[in-house]
Amino acid sequence: MTDNKEQKIVVYTELRDTDQNLILHGLKLAAIFKKELCLLYNYHPKHKKKHGEFKEKLREYAAVVRNELPQQKISTLLFSENESRLPDQLAVDYEAIIFVLNITNFKSYSKALAETSVPFIFVHPESNIKNYDHLVQPIDMRKEVSDSSLWCSYFGRFNNAEIVTIAANDKTKEAQHKVSKNAELTRKLYRKFKIKHKLYKGNKSSLRNVFEALDLALASDCNLLVILGSSSITPLDLLIGLPERKIVSRAGKLPVMVINPRKDNYILCD
């Protein structure tokens, strides 16, 4: 089990070969933020008979990490819980602060993402990108942009990351004012911590700004795209797919951090 008083980077393992790269990304994040790494497996209740087998596999994973990086704190957690409620349970009971998940299985985690207060970082199991030092962030008219800016600032402060922001280009004066306010507050935050940053005005509205940011990220040496999830989910969204699902599916091997704007996010402790 794990000491629940220290913030943790939690890797959602699937007990497959693809776990190796997810764990490497988790280790990088744990090193950046000086946090404990926690390896999690949440199994279906019908597989309860394999509990011992699952536990042993997690122990093997942890043993490899301890052997290679003895200075890195590491723990394991084995659950059989409701997938959508588990992230916040982990945040409250075990101080989970970031989740690392397999980007190719986004659909399996989409309901949990819509319910959680903890950012998800979706990683392709074949991705070699682990630097997290060149971020792209879309800025739209939503006040929750402050949450994505805060997380970007953590990477700037603790990993000397450069942040490129692309502001939405809305048509109405009200929307323009909100975007401008968000951009200015973001710029002030980055200046406060002396974070390298660039601000560009995009061509798309707040509704399409995130796709323009993805295009910029894929065309540059970006190694993390930081976005807000959907502020509301309508029946039409469920029919045609949420924007974050489309972004993740088009991101390829680029890691994507998705922050839920419908919940108050937990704050990283220095």
Side-chain angles (χ1 to χ4, degrees):
M1 292 298 288
T2 179
D3 178 359
N4 64 1
K5 294 184 179 180
E6 182 169 346
Q7 289 189 327
K8 297 169 180 63
I9 308 298
V10 177
V11 176
Y12 266 65
T13 70
E14 298 173 341
L15 302 190
R16 300 175 182 172
D17 292 342
T18 51
D19 289 339
Q20 181 177 355
N21 205 34
L22 300 184
I23 293 170
L24 288 175
H25 279 264
L27 281 168
K28 178 62 177 180
L29 291 162
I32 289 172
F33 298 120
K34 296 180 173 56
K35 301 299 181 185
E36 180 178 314
L37 178 70
C38 181
L39 306 180
L40 165 76
Y41 183 61
N42 188 41
Y43 64 92
H44 194 282
K46 69 179 181 180
H47 296 145
K48 186 177 181 179
K49 291 183 179 180
K50 294 185 177 181
H51 180 276
E53 179 182 331
F54 299 150
K55 190 173 183 179
E56 181 58 28
K57 187 66 174 179
L58 287 177
R59 283 177 177 171
E60 291 175 7
Y61 283 172
V64 172
V65 173
R66 290 190 182 101
N67 183 57
E68 295 294 328
L69 297 168
Q71 75 282 6
Q72 174 63 55
K73 290 184 179 181
I74 185 167
S75 57
T76 61
L77 284 173
L78 184 60
F79 279 103
S80 180
E81 299 288 346
N82 180 283
E83 192 73 69
S84 62
R85 292 196 298 266
L86 182 57
D88 275 359
Q89 179 183 341
L90 293 168
V92 172
D93 295 340
Y94 297 94
E95 296 288 335
I97 196 66
I98 295 175
F99 294 115
V100 180
L101 309 98
N102 187 337
I103 201 170
T104 64
N105 292 328
F106 176 87
K107 187 176 180 180
S108 301
Y109 304 116
S110 58
K111 189 173 181 180
L113 175 60
E115 298 295 330
T116 188
S117 302
V118 180
F120 281 22
I121 295 185
F122 291 97
V123 173
H124 195 284
E126 297 178 5
S127 172
N128 292 319
I129 298 173
K130 301 183 188 73
N131 292 331
Y132 296 114
D133 60 0
H134 187 180
L135 282 56
V136 170
Q137 174 200 13
I139 295 180
D140 57 34
M141 63 184 290
R142 292 176 290 177
K143 62 182 178 61
E144 291 84 6
V145 164
S146 61
D147 292 332
S148 63
S149 297
L150 183 61
W151 273 100
C152 286
S153 78
Y154 291 149
F155 284 93
R157 292 165 60 191
F158 299 112
N159 197 40
N160 197 33
E162 178 180 359
I163 303 157
V164 176
T165 55
I166 181 164
N169 190 354
D170 287 293
K171 303 304 181 185
T172 68
K173 288 186 177 180
E174 181 182 3
Q176 290 172 3
H177 174 73
K178 290 179 178 179
V179 172
S180 296
K181 181 179 179 180
N182 286 339
E184 183 57 29
L185 289 174
T186 295
R187 186 157 40 196
K188 286 182 178 179
L189 176 66
Y190 296 161
R191 284 176 177 170
K192 175 182 177 181
F193 293 108
K194 297 180 173 59
I195 295 169
K196 294 177 289 185
H197 63 279
K198 298 177 182 177
L199 172 64
Y200 297 102
K201 186 174 183 179
N203 297 312
K204 304 295 184 182
S205 71
S206 287
L207 290 175
R208 302 294 299 175
N209 172 243
V210 66
F211 294 99
E212 189 171 9
L214 174 63
D215 291 340
L216 175 63
L218 292 175
S220 66
D221 58 349
C222 167
N223 44 44
L224 182 64
L225 176 64
V226 180
I227 68 171
L228 290 175
S230 297
S231 296
S232 61
I233 300 176
T234 67
L236 180 60
D237 291 323
L238 296 176
L239 179 64
I240 66 175
L242 294 168
E244 53 266 35
R245 181 177 179 179
K246 296 176 183 178
I247 290 294
V248 165
S249 68
R250 298 177 191 178
K253 296 180 181 179
L254 173 68
V256 181
M257 173 181 260
V258 185
I259 298 166
N260 186 357
R262 300 189 299 148
K263 292 284 192 85
D264 290 334
N265 279 252
Y266 290 97
I267 296 174
L268 189 77
C269 293
D270 293 359

